[in-house]
Amino acid sequence: NMRLVYKATPPVGFYQKDGDFKAGHLLVHRSHNVTIKGSTLVNSQQAGMTLSDSSGLWIVNNVVRDSGAGGIIVHGNVSGSLLQENRVVGGTGIANWHAGIVLTYRDIDILTGVSFLLSRHLHHDPDYSLLKRRRYPHGNVLLRNKILRSRAQGVYLDGCVGNALIGNEIDSSEKEGLCIDGGSASNVLHGNFIHNCGRRGNQAPHVLKQEVPDNRTGSDGLTIFKLPGVSIDNGVYNILSGNMVASNHGGGIKMVRTSFYNVVLANVVNGNDRSLSKHIAFPGVMLLSDPSDDIGAQDLDFTGSKFNIVAYNELIGQHERGIYIRAGCSCNEIYKNKISGYKIAAIDSTTSQTNFIQSIHPGWNRRSPERKPKGIPRWPFGEPFLWWEA
């Protein structure tokens, strides 16, 4: 393994070009103004590249292939850095922190490698509360990277703040294409292409046991509980705009729980129910209040998704429902979305709490018979909304 480690007075403007590090792991730690360009890292037993507690990094046009524990991990107080036009392919890791690109923080000695991220559960990290996180990736840009065929997520945002993901391509990740998790806040995701993710193939049985409620399988021989193209799970003030979320297996954009004040604006959500299971089907956009799993409430809060805006999106292709709002979600605004191709309803809700939903075209906002509109209040700008209550 090859490591670049600068602890005390780091050099300025370190430049690595056209390297080829077989079975290599590249580590940049406590460094500034470092450029890594045109390198290839193959078959690392841990992450292909780890960037930790550094600033002003330029990570451009590199290839990371078949790493064991994540493609590129951005860890801790990393800021003002650019990851551009890198290609992350494959990967044998199964945990969330084994995604193609990971932005995260844990209070550990980074020099011990990335096994610290797995704790003893290989899936979650129950021993590290959000309240203890003081250094996190912020103010970084991920631009036009390609993440292909990850066994975990394509991109995993874990408690990071104020980063921009622009024009990235994420294809054929076995878990979500892009997961916003762990209290991630104020990130902007614009113009990304997320395709054919969430199949949950090639997953270890002990990981699936933690993640899915039962062991039913579909016609593909895999679990019926597929994953969406994009998920927000404990995230606030994030903006998703102008993305193409297409042909994923478990829905398009899913606000799993504790999704507050996020904006989902002007995205194209196309045919994200590829599983075609007779047991379960998936909407294009979901606002949910899923219960906790094995993390435990001491680390994260688990409440319904609230105060989100879902507007001006185009939902086309095959979906069970265009937009679905589950019980426990409230104060969300759903308006001016163009929805077609649904099986049951354009917009459907099972919550008894108030959400504001605009009716923009006869028949587009079709409701289940048991839910009736309770008046048509006026929004401050004069837009008519349906106020749904069960």
Side-chain angles (χ1 to χ4, degrees):
N1 290 344
M2 178 175 180
R3 297 186 176 188
L4 305 179
V5 182
Y6 305 111
K7 294 183 180 179
T9 305
V12 176
F14 176 85
Y15 188 82
Q16 173 65 44
K17 184 178 180 182
D18 298 329
D20 188 2
F21 309 120
K22 298 293 185 182
H25 168 234
L26 188 63
L27 171 62
V28 179
H29 181 49
R30 296 180 183 171
S31 301
H32 309 283
N33 302 327
V34 173
T35 297
I36 303 175
K37 183 176 182 180
S39 297
T40 301
L41 299 114
V42 182
N43 295 326
S44 170
Q45 296 304 304
Q46 44 188 327
M49 188 183 300
T50 303
L51 316 172
S52 177
D53 293 336
S54 301
S55 65
L57 307 179
W58 284 52
I59 312 300
V60 180
N61 196 28
N62 301 284
V63 176
V64 180
R65 190 166 60 246
D66 296 328
S67 297
I72 300 174
I73 292 184
V74 181
H75 175 266
N77 187 21
V78 176
S79 65
S81 297
L82 172 68
L83 280 68
Q84 178 177 340
E85 296 178 357
N86 300 286
R87 186 178 178 92
V88 182
V89 182
T92 59
I94 55 177
N96 291 347
W97 295 278
H98 292 164
I101 298 178
V102 180
L103 278 67
T104 187
Y105 169 66
R106 291 297 183 275
D107 188 14
I108 45 73
D109 180 5
I110 192 69
L111 302 182
T112 62
V114 296
S115 59
F116 64 85
L117 289 173
L118 307 182
S119 186
R120 59 179 177 273
H121 288 260
L122 270 181
H123 176 59
H124 293 303
D125 184 7
D127 302 323
Y128 197 68
S129 170
L130 287 175
L131 299 177
K132 299 178 182 178
R133 302 185 192 182
R134 295 292 183 267
R135 308 196 320 274
Y136 39 78
H138 61 282
N140 303 292
V141 177
L142 279 64
L143 178 65
R144 296 196 300 271
N145 300 283
K146 290 188 177 182
I147 302 100
L148 310 174
R149 300 190 298 278
S150 170
R151 194 177 174 191
Q153 289 91 347
V155 176
Y156 184 57
L157 305 182
D158 175 38
C160 59
V161 176
N163 302 281
L165 285 72
I166 302 172
N168 300 283
E169 179 182 341
I170 305 171
D171 198 310
S172 302
S173 297
E174 294 293 352
K175 292 186 175 182
E176 299 99 327
L178 198 153
C179 180
I180 303 171
D181 199 356
S184 292
S186 302
N187 299 287
V188 176
L189 292 73
H190 178 74
N192 301 286
F193 177 62
I194 301 161
H195 174 262
N196 190 33
C197 298
R199 190 176 69 105
R200 264 183 167 155
N202 198 20
Q203 299 289 290
H206 70 284
V207 173
L208 282 175
K209 188 176 180 180
Q210 295 180 57
E211 292 181 331
V212 300
D214 62 47
N215 59 2
R216 282 182 292 169
T217 58
S219 58
D220 58 3
L222 305 173
T223 177
I224 63 171
F225 297 97
K226 307 298 185 183
L227 291 170
V230 179
S231 69
I232 305 176
D233 188 347
N234 270 265
V236 62
Y237 301 124
N238 299 288
I239 298 175
L240 285 71
S241 67
N243 301 287
M244 168 69 79
V245 184
S247 299
N248 297 288
H249 292 262
I253 299 172
K254 179 178 180 181
M255 301 178 211
V256 183
R257 57 197 153 220
T258 324
S259 175
F260 293 165
Y261 298 100
N262 298 288
V263 177
V264 178
L265 177 69
N267 301 281
V268 176
V269 182
N270 183 3
N272 291 281
D273 188 8
R274 289 192 61 180
S275 63
L276 299 178
S277 170
K278 64 181 180 181
H279 303 287
I280 187 171
F282 300 97
V285 175
M286 297 164 271
L287 292 87
L288 308 179
S289 54
D290 283 1
S292 65
D293 45 24
D294 62 340
I295 299 177
Q298 74 278 5
D299 186 26
L300 299 174
D301 295 322
F302 296 96
T303 67
S305 298
K306 301 177 182 179
F307 305 105
N308 300 287
I309 295 174
V310 180
Y312 293 96
N313 300 284
E314 183 165 2
L315 288 83
I316 58 179
Q318 183 165 292
H319 295 101
E320 180 198 38
R321 295 168 171 86
I323 300 172
Y324 176 60
I325 309 169
R326 183 178 289 172
C329 299
S330 64
C331 302
N332 299 288
E333 300 175 25
I334 317 293
Y335 60 91
K336 290 196 173 180
N337 298 283
K338 183 177 180 182
I339 306 171
S340 61
Y342 55 87
K343 298 177 184 177
I344 297 176
I347 302 177
D348 202 1
S349 173
T350 59
T351 181
S352 61
Q353 297 174 296
T354 298
N355 292 279
F356 294 93
I357 302 172
Q358 185 187 35
S359 179
I360 60 173
H361 190 281
W364 277 7
N365 291 357
R366 174 185 167 193
R367 298 180 303 278
S368 298
E370 66 273 16
R371 281 180 291 282
K372 299 179 180 179
K374 186 179 179 181
I376 306 181
R378 289 278 171 175
W379 202 236
F381 304 105
E383 303 273 5
F385 277 76
L386 291 182
W387 190 354
W388 283 6
E389 292 187 358

